[in-house]
Amino acid sequence: IPQDSVKSIGESIGILQLPDHAMKYLSEETSFRVKEIVQEAMKYCSHRKSNKLKCQDIDNSFKAKNLEPLYGFISEEFIPFRFASGGGRELHFIEDKELDLNEIINGSLPKIPHDVAMKAHWLAIEGVQPSVPENPVPETHFSIEVLKKGDLKEGRKGVPPMKSCHKPENSSLVALKSRFTHELSVEQQLYYKEITEAAVGSSEARRAEALQSLATDPGLSQMLPRFSTFVSEGVRVNVVQNNLALLIYLMRMVKALMDNPTLNLEKYLHEMIPAVMTCIVSRQLCTRPDVDNHWALRDYAARLMAQICRSFSTSTNLIQSRITGTFCKCLHDDKSSLAARYGSVAGLAELGTDVVQNLALPRLQVEGGRIKNILESPLLNPIDRTAAEHLRGLLVKHCGPVIKTIRQPPDHPEEYLKDYGSLGPLICQHIIKLR
Amino acid sequence: EVSSLLSAYSTEADPSSYDDNYRILQQFIEMSMDGNKCELSLLLYPVFLHMYLELVYNNHQTKAKAFFAKFRGEMEHYHDADLHQLSNITTKSHMEGNNFIYNLKSNKFVVRISRESNHLIKKFLEDKNVPIIRNILNVQVTIDEFEGLPRTKNQIWASAGGLCGEAKQEENKAKVRTSKFFITTLATVGEIFPSFHIQVYYGLLKEPDIDIPLEDEEDTLEDQTEGGGSSKSKRRKKKEFLSKKNKSDPNAPSVTRIPLPELKDADKVEKIAAAKESLKRIRLAGTDRVSPSVCCYTFTNAFGGVTAVDICDDSTLLAAGFQDSHIRVWSLTPRTLRSVKSASELGLLDKEGDDIFDRMMDDCTGTESKSLYGHSGTVYSLSFSPCRSLLVSASEDGSVRLWSLLTWTNLTVYKGHVWSVWGVKFSPHGHYFASCGGDRVARVWVTDHHQPLRVFAGHLSDVDCVAYHHNSNYVATGSSDRSVRVWDVLNGNCVRTYTGHKKPVMCLAWSPDGRYLASSGEDSMVLVWDISTKVLIAQFKGHTAMVNVLAFSRDGEVLASGMSISLYGLLGGMDNSVKIWDFQQMISDIDSDDIGMLRGHATISDKNYLLSDFPTKSTPILHLHFTRRNLLLAVGVFVN
């Protein structure tokens, strides 16, 4: 607990002039006590056989220390910390909205939560895990190495017949499953067919339904590998054919899968990321680049990529740094097309202001020069012109807010021209508008 | 009391000399022979610990902080939890009233080293001018010297990690014995065993005679219907089974050592049923083994609220304790749970009738599950009585409650524990139960007394789990001080102390033959201890998170019938998997003549005994239970 916090807490209860040494003592003492309480609470947490510390554990530890528990705090599974910065200070806080009591009283009652239920299923039958929805997907388990094949004598009835209530519902399915192939049930196959047809079909209403189903239905994890392959193959084929509409549909599918809280895409990122990446930086995505709005696809895919980075990037897989590396390489390559550059900038911009500041700003001068050259060249074709204009607009749009935070007013177009090259004056205008 | 203990720290020593002193000790250890190096480096941690506290006590806060930061990185990883606590303590006032400090001060840190190494230390203290270290070693550290070669790094690692160092050898040695027989044994055995231990009667009690002919008749009838082929082998199996049962085990305590309740008729029927079912048991280890089948019961919509689970011995009932302090019992068979009829209705029944037990139950009350309300805190542990009509529960509110599963009401509240009660366990013979809790003691109770019969005190921190030995004569406890202790119910003495866990011990299991004790906990290692020789004999590593539960398969009974040993250890944990270890193989691999083992050192092989591993789908396993036929039941909570 830093001294600043002690100070502001003191101020909030009317103690204005705390001497420094008192503050230091208080901050040390409170830190120590808080640590002590949390340590005690950890004990309760592990006895609950859980690894998530909850408010109740803290309450219990208060109780054990003979302190009054704090009433009225309940922990939620998901605590959205908001981030705010300003005046050189950073702050994380929980948004605590004011609730209108009337609304709550007059509103309909929330649904009663389901009662605790107990369900039986086979985790293993003679050492083999049947692939039922209750068991993890076969890719993730590795019991195969441990088991010795020869031990499974055919026709041997080792398990005593179970009472009827122990039997899982789809026992016929269980018996047919081999350990390696992972087949879908007939219903699942039908579902897969319907969904994929609707997702890339011509009816927008059906597509919306299919995407809704992908984004919300639990229990799709069995089919996830198929969907992942569908997307990656689809992108591969349609990029070659420059079929913009289909690419957009596929990206929307990825988005829906990402949004499904019951699915974990981590195991399929090796297929997803290249597909999404292609839609961001590919040289050509549509048949008529001068008219078709492939920029929207690039923007959408870039947002998707940023979402992937946020969800799955860890210090071990380094997804984010590998992605930024790819974008930068494309940006630094003189031969890459304007459309690819547009995609790279869009991709970088979605990864946050830090990335923009460190990787895009230094390129501003070079890119500005290039755009200027293209626009002023005598042999200007309409494709290049729209591309250059889009790229210019994008750079101004994303670099503007970043430059705004690092530069103090007044803003002189000349200074901007000096610092940021030919795009300087445009950015300057943008910033003046922003301020 | 604490401040008087702490006053030992007050010294006039120059705070800047601590660094040098510590460096000199490090150099001395660095320069010593390779054989002794590992043992001597055990001294570094207690010296570091007490040097830091001494600095803090004498108000050299900045020096203390610097000292801590400088040398902390060199400590072994298993001290991390303690060092973390230590780093919180930065002023003298923090030291007072802190449990951790109190434990360190009231117990000397035990370091086990060979005579040779001890000699080196003495010489070092004489040669070098290190008053601070000398003082610490004299006042705060006990050196437990043993004869023979210094231990290897692995041996040391296996037994290190206790809150106050290792268990002392004397703690497990016989103290004063007057029995003539005992003295003679001590004299002869003492030469081979430098450290002879208190005898623990780990054998199983002699089974009471049950009406066998009846059972045989039924069996032949069954055989005839099945066809003649299997009847012969079955008969032989049964003979072996019965003959073994009637032999008495030399290691067993006498049946009357602990008074046990007399068997009722119903118990006898139960025993016969159990014996019959155990004949149909499948073997899970050995050459003709069958890979295990696991049936998983998953709680859904529990919102993480299930905190304790128990399944009764014949696998017909399952009880779950919840965070919101209620208990619910499910029937695992199609038979519903019924309560007894009212007193007036009961009076009308014919008490001599054969089906009296069935008729006294009220069919109208039959449901699939029943709830029990009474606790006012999270329920941390549950245990069914062997007769299935009673259930004990332990809760955060400090009470243990006894519930009747006939009337579905609370019968008694046992108060005694000061803080949370972490564990409770019925004796395998009923009547008694043991509980343990946050007040650092374990207690043994009888169901018909409201006060405990025994209080086992000795652990330095919370007692997290308790396990009754199969012969009801001993109780094992595991604690947050990272030690496992075995207590004699007869006299309340601690007969075994084991260190080796690096984090709190959360679960225990006795092998069915009563000789081995398996323990595990937050450090995700499963350790197996031999009660007869007092040694650590195995470390099963493979889990990556806290291990919640351990269970042995039922083959201990097979062992008693004279078939080949087929023991089987098993556990589940929070890395959401059930792992099965080949316990039988491990036991047969043990070299009982190993010199290290004779000297009481931990001897473990690196062999992997993992047989199978069944991951679950984000379902931490809370309980494991082998049915009498060795089908494994796992209970978990689905975490969304």
Side-chain angles (χ1 to χ4, degrees):
Chain A
I1 296 172
Q3 291 190 23
D4 285 353
S5 303
V6 176
K7 194 177 167 190
S8 54
I9 292 167
E11 279 167 4
S12 73
I13 54 166
I15 304 167
L16 292 174
Q17 307 267 287
L18 262 179
D20 271 358
H21 64 270
M23 240 153 38
K24 182 165 177 282
Y25 177 81
L26 277 174
S27 86
E28 274 177 12
E29 180 70 15
T30 43
S31 304
F32 172 70
R33 297 294 163 202
V34 167
K35 280 179 186 169
E36 229 181 17
I37 285 163
V38 172
Q39 255 165 17
E40 180 87 7
M42 288 301 291
K43 197 170 77 184
Y44 286 91
C45 179
S46 71
H47 276 282
R48 272 194 310 115
K49 302 188 171 82
S50 162
N51 42 14
K52 269 187 202 149
L53 194 70
K54 286 192 174 178
C55 286
Q56 202 192 353
D57 301 318
I58 304 274
D59 281 350
N60 283 340
S61 103
F62 272 128
K63 217 162 133 190
K65 293 205 169 291
N66 223 355
L67 299 165
E68 176 109 351
L70 294 167
Y71 297 106
F73 283 90
I74 45 160
S75 56
E76 287 170 39
E77 279 297 299
F78 176 63
I79 303 174
F81 269 104
R82 295 277 304 269
F83 174 73
S85 62
R89 297 217 279 191
E90 294 182 343
L91 186 68
H92 291 270
F93 65 98
I94 305 168
E95 202 168 28
D96 207 357
K97 281 187 196 139
E98 274 183 28
L99 297 171
D100 186 6
L101 269 181
N102 275 330
E103 232 168 71
I104 297 173
I105 294 166
N106 297 328
S108 59
L109 286 173
K111 261 197 213 161
I112 299 171
H114 290 285
D115 193 17
V116 179
M118 197 179 63
K119 207 179 164 208
H121 72 95
W122 287 106
L123 185 65
I125 299 174
E126 299 202 358
V128 185
Q129 283 197 290
S131 50
V132 287
E134 289 89 347
N135 284 339
V137 241
E139 281 95 328
T140 57
H141 78 70
F142 35 86
S143 64
I144 297 145
E145 300 130 38
V146 187
L147 291 164
K148 285 170 203 143
K149 265 191 186 167
D151 296 333
L152 294 162
K153 282 180 196 159
E154 228 178 308
R156 179 166 178 148
K157 196 81 186 139
V159 194
M162 289 292 294
K163 294 143 209 150
S164 61
C165 73
H166 287 173
K167 265 194 188 131
E169 299 92 323
N170 39 1
S171 53
S172 59
L173 228 157
V174 171
L176 298 171
K177 289 286 192 246
S178 82
R179 272 178 292 168
F180 294 94
T181 56
H182 172 218
E183 282 169 15
L184 298 182
S185 67
V186 180
E187 292 83 358
Q188 284 173 328
Q189 284 173 17
L190 274 176
Y191 176 82
Y192 174 79
K193 193 164 159 268
E194 286 286 314
I195 289 285
T196 48
E197 274 175 12
V200 297
S202 53
S203 158
E204 185 58 38
R206 283 196 68 202
R207 176 162 30 255
E209 266 177 47
L211 293 178
Q212 172 73 13
S213 162
L214 282 180
T216 49
D217 275 357
L220 295 184
S221 55
Q222 299 250 2
M223 280 178 280
L224 192 52
R226 316 285 161 130
F227 284 127
S228 159
T229 316
F230 179 79
V231 170
S232 85
E233 285 296 308
V235 169
R236 190 148 66 189
V237 172
N238 288 301
V239 159
V240 176
Q241 296 179 350
N242 292 328
N243 196 337
L244 180 65
L246 274 178
L247 289 174
I248 292 175
Y249 300 154
L250 289 169
M251 286 303 108
R252 286 171 68 183
M253 253 182 99
V254 176
K255 169 81 175 149
L257 290 171
M258 286 280 297
D259 288 345
N260 191 325
T262 61
L263 293 179
N264 186 0
L265 260 59
E266 195 170 359
K267 296 263 177 333
Y268 309 100
L269 289 180
H270 63 281
E271 287 186 325
M272 295 289 191
I273 289 182
V276 178
M277 202 66 177
T278 308
C279 291
I280 303 176
V281 297
S282 179
R283 184 177 299 132
Q284 198 175 355
L285 290 168
C286 50
T287 41
R288 296 171 60 207
D290 48 339
V291 205
D292 287 341
N293 189 3
H294 61 101
W295 316 107
L297 171 62
R298 292 182 199 269
D299 287 339
Y300 186 76
R303 275 197 296 280
L304 257 182
M305 186 58 89
Q307 192 185 350
I308 291 176
C309 286
R310 273 197 303 277
S311 316
F312 300 109
S313 188
T314 62
S315 54
T316 44
N317 63 19
L318 295 172
I319 289 177
Q320 172 144 1
S321 65
R322 283 153 71 182
I323 300 287
T324 35
T326 317
F327 286 141
C328 286
K329 216 174 117 197
C330 178
L331 209 54
H332 284 258
D333 184 1
D334 288 336
K335 290 190 202 82
S336 57
S337 73
L338 280 172
R341 282 165 185 282
Y342 177 90
S344 311
V345 174
L348 287 175
E350 292 296 338
L351 292 173
T353 50
D354 279 356
V355 179
V356 175
Q357 187 175 343
N358 293 327
L359 299 169
L361 281 195
R363 298 288 303 169
L364 212 50
Q365 206 142 9
V366 185
E367 294 302 321
R370 188 186 296 271
I371 292 168
K372 203 175 158 205
N373 281 345
I374 291 172
L375 287 178
E376 286 171 3
S377 79
L379 302 165
L380 181 64
N381 65 19
I383 299 176
D384 278 350
R385 196 176 60 211
T386 39
E389 275 166 1
H390 267 103
L391 182 57
R392 187 173 65 190
L394 185 77
L395 281 170
V396 170
K397 185 175 137 208
H398 287 300
C399 294
V402 178
I403 294 172
K404 188 187 137 204
T405 56
I406 56 173
R407 283 185 82 109
Q408 298 299 324
D411 305 302
H412 295 299
E414 309 83 59
E415 277 176 34
Y416 275 78
L417 185 66
K418 204 175 92 210
D419 289 351
Y420 301 112
S422 58
L423 286 176
L426 262 177
I427 292 173
C428 180
Q429 275 177 17
H430 187 64
I431 287 174
I432 290 169
K433 230 183 277 167
L434 282 176
R435 291 204 207 268
Chain B
E1 192 189 10
V2 183
S3 43
S4 68
L5 278 171
L6 287 174
S7 63
Y9 276 132
S10 70
T11 131
E12 301 288 303
D14 173 19
S16 53
S17 65
Y18 281 76
D19 279 14
D20 297 337
N21 264 271
Y22 192 76
R23 281 255 181 267
I24 294 171
L25 180 67
Q26 272 186 324
Q27 271 163 16
F28 154 71
I29 291 166
E30 224 22 71
M31 302 290 281
S32 60
M33 306 248 286
D34 278 352
N36 306 97
K37 204 182 266 176
C38 292
E39 284 198 330
L40 290 175
S41 56
L42 282 174
L43 287 171
L44 287 173
Y45 173 68
V47 168
F48 169 80
L49 193 85
H50 288 289
M51 272 186 164
Y52 174 75
L53 290 176
E54 211 166 287
L55 281 170
V56 171
Y57 187 81
N58 293 303
N59 290 324
H60 308 302
Q61 278 156 28
T62 41
K63 279 268 188 290
K65 219 173 219 170
F67 178 78
F68 190 85
K70 203 163 168 186
F71 298 110
R72 187 212 150 124
E74 293 159 21
M75 296 293 128
E76 298 277 356
H77 286 300
Y78 49 78
H79 294 308
D80 277 356
D82 288 345
L83 287 173
H84 202 75
Q85 294 218 0
L86 199 64
S87 66
N88 286 346
I89 294 157
T90 49
T91 65
K92 190 173 164 182
S93 60
H94 291 165
M95 290 168 76
E96 284 155 15
N98 186 298
N99 277 335
F100 175 65
I101 301 295
Y102 178 74
N103 283 331
L104 288 179
K105 285 306 299 174
S106 51
N107 298 279
K108 287 186 170 192
F109 196 93
V110 182
V111 177
R112 258 195 99 205
I113 52 178
S114 62
R115 175 168 290 177
E116 193 187 326
S117 305
N118 196 8
H119 205 74
L120 287 172
I121 295 167
K122 281 182 186 151
K123 198 149 168 288
F124 162 73
L125 292 176
E126 276 169 23
D127 290 354
K128 298 271 164 57
N129 179 27
V130 278
I132 299 166
I133 292 179
R134 188 182 306 142
N135 185 34
I136 286 175
L137 289 185
N138 283 342
V139 181
Q140 321 280 11
V141 178
T142 308
I143 290 180
D144 187 21
E145 187 184 277
F146 63 88
E147 297 279 340
L149 290 174
R151 292 182 295 171
T152 62
K153 197 173 179 187
N154 282 343
Q155 283 174 337
I156 290 171
W157 193 86
S159 59
L163 183 62
C164 280
E166 293 179 44
K168 265 187 271 187
Q169 281 301 296
E170 291 98 65
E171 280 181 34
N172 296 314
K173 273 186 200 164
K175 280 155 200 165
V176 191
R177 288 279 181 155
T178 43
S179 146
K180 205 174 173 185
F181 163 76
F182 206 87
I183 290 168
T184 50
T185 8
L186 198 64
T188 49
V189 182
E191 285 163 24
I192 326 162
F193 281 91
S195 49
F196 188 69
H197 322 296
I198 308 171
Q199 189 172 3
V200 172
Y201 304 100
Y202 58 82
L204 299 181
L205 293 179
K206 198 176 160 217
E207 289 287 325
D209 294 332
I210 311 172
D211 205 3
I212 301 154
L214 170 94
E215 202 183 352
D216 262 342
E217 259 169 49
E218 268 183 30
D219 201 46
T220 23
L221 271 175
E222 246 174 57
D223 287 347
Q224 276 161 2
T225 51
E226 274 177 26
S230 64
S231 77
K232 216 178 190 178
S233 63
K234 232 179 189 177
R235 188 86 55 81
R236 200 177 62 230
K237 227 173 172 181
K238 170 150 299 176
K239 286 242 173 69
E240 281 168 16
F241 180 78
L242 292 171
S243 64
K244 189 70 186 179
K245 206 177 207 175
N246 291 339
K247 260 187 216 162
S248 66
D249 188 334
N251 290 312
S254 73
V255 181
T256 51
R257 189 167 181 265
I258 299 285
L260 293 172
E262 259 181 52
L263 281 184
K264 296 189 203 99
D265 284 349
D267 297 332
K268 283 179 187 163
V269 173
E270 177 68 31
K271 280 224 187 281
I272 291 169
K276 256 164 65 183
E277 205 165 350
S278 62
L279 288 174
K280 294 177 188 156
R281 178 181 301 148
I282 48 166
R283 294 196 51 204
L284 298 174
T287 46
D288 58 340
R289 73 191 180 87
V290 176
S291 289
S293 300
V294 189
C295 181
C296 189
Y297 291 94
T298 311
F299 288 106
T300 48
N301 309 326
F303 309 107
V306 183
T307 46
V309 175
D310 195 36
I311 295 180
C312 72
D313 189 66
D314 66 350
S315 321
T316 53
L317 298 174
L318 183 150
F322 291 80
Q323 205 182 331
D324 60 5
S325 68
H326 88 282
I327 298 164
R328 204 185 280 200
V329 182
W330 274 271
S331 164
L332 297 184
T333 57
R335 241 170 65 193
T336 54
L337 304 175
R338 297 170 298 174
S339 46
V340 281
K341 291 175 180 168
S342 65
S344 54
E345 280 177 83
L346 284 175
L348 302 172
L349 293 177
D350 171 20
K351 289 178 197 65
E352 301 301 312
D354 284 342
D355 55 348
I356 176 74
F357 285 108
D358 196 37
R359 283 182 44 201
M360 65 188 234
M361 308 307 286
D362 189 354
D363 280 331
C364 308
T365 58
T367 47
E368 209 176 287
S369 73
K370 283 202 187 297
S371 295
L372 302 167
Y373 300 98
H375 278 297
S376 58
T378 309
V379 181
Y380 286 120
S381 183
L382 291 166
S383 181
F384 280 105
S385 76
C387 63
R388 289 198 311 278
S389 60
L390 297 170
L391 176 77
V392 280
S393 62
S395 159
E396 192 265 327
D397 60 14
S399 68
V400 174
R401 280 173 190 260
L402 180 75
W403 308 85
S404 162
L405 304 187
L406 295 172
T407 59
W408 302 98
T409 50
N410 188 199
L411 298 178
T412 329
V413 184
Y414 302 94
K415 287 182 179 167
H417 282 287
V418 185
W419 287 295
S420 309
V421 190
W422 297 131
V424 69
K425 191 82 194 154
F426 243 109
S427 140
H429 296 89
H431 197 52
Y432 301 98
F433 64 90
S435 67
C436 63
D439 52 0
R440 302 164 188 205
V441 295
R443 291 160 202 256
V444 168
W445 311 74
V446 201
T447 46
D448 53 9
H449 283 63
H450 70 281
Q451 279 178 323
L453 290 190
R454 298 281 180 273
V455 177
F456 302 134
H459 277 296
L460 303 176
S461 188
D462 294 37
V463 187
D464 296 313
C465 53
V466 62
Y468 235 107
H469 192 278
H470 296 289
N471 65 19
S472 289
N473 279 254
Y474 299 92
V475 168
T477 54
S479 159
S480 289
D481 67 6
R482 306 188 279 281
S483 68
V484 173
R485 283 173 188 260
V486 179
W487 310 85
D488 192 338
V489 176
L490 183 69
N491 49 27
N493 287 337
C494 175
V495 289
R496 293 281 184 273
T497 309
Y498 297 119
T499 57
H501 276 291
K502 317 290 183 237
K503 280 185 181 172
V505 185
M506 300 306 275
C507 52
L508 292 164
W510 287 97
S511 74
D513 65 351
R515 182 171 170 180
Y516 304 100
L517 176 66
S519 63
S520 189
E522 286 181 24
D523 57 1
S524 67
M525 288 191 300
V526 182
L527 304 188
V528 181
W529 317 91
D530 186 340
I531 297 299
S532 67
T533 57
K534 196 261 151 182
V535 224
L536 175 72
I537 51 169
Q539 264 178 355
F540 296 142
K541 292 181 206 164
H543 276 281
T544 50
M546 184 168 108
V547 179
N548 279 335
V549 54
L550 291 165
F552 274 98
S553 74
R554 302 287 187 116
D555 297 280
E557 287 152 353
V558 176
L559 173 73
S561 70
M563 297 171 80
S564 65
I565 307 166
S566 175
L567 286 168
Y568 217 64
L570 202 144
L571 58 133
M574 288 222 266
D575 49 352
N576 302 347
S577 69
V578 176
K579 290 190 200 302
I580 296 177
W581 310 87
D582 197 337
F583 193 76
Q584 179 204 7
Q585 187 64 38
M586 193 275 292
I587 296 295
S588 58
D589 282 353
I590 291 171
D591 180 7
S592 53
D593 298 328
D594 187 286
I595 187 77
M597 190 163 284
L598 292 180
R599 291 194 186 285
H601 300 327
T603 325
I604 40 168
S605 75
D606 297 330
K607 229 173 120 177
N608 189 4
Y609 292 104
L610 186 67
L611 274 181
S612 2
D613 176 12
F614 305 116
T616 61
K617 190 174 178 181
S618 51
T619 308
I621 299 296
L622 297 182
H623 191 73
L624 287 171
H625 175 86
F626 273 98
T627 65
R628 287 170 180 159
R629 298 179 182 189
N630 267 348
L631 171 78
L632 181 64
L633 305 181
V635 186
V637 184
F638 180 68
V639 185
N640 202 343

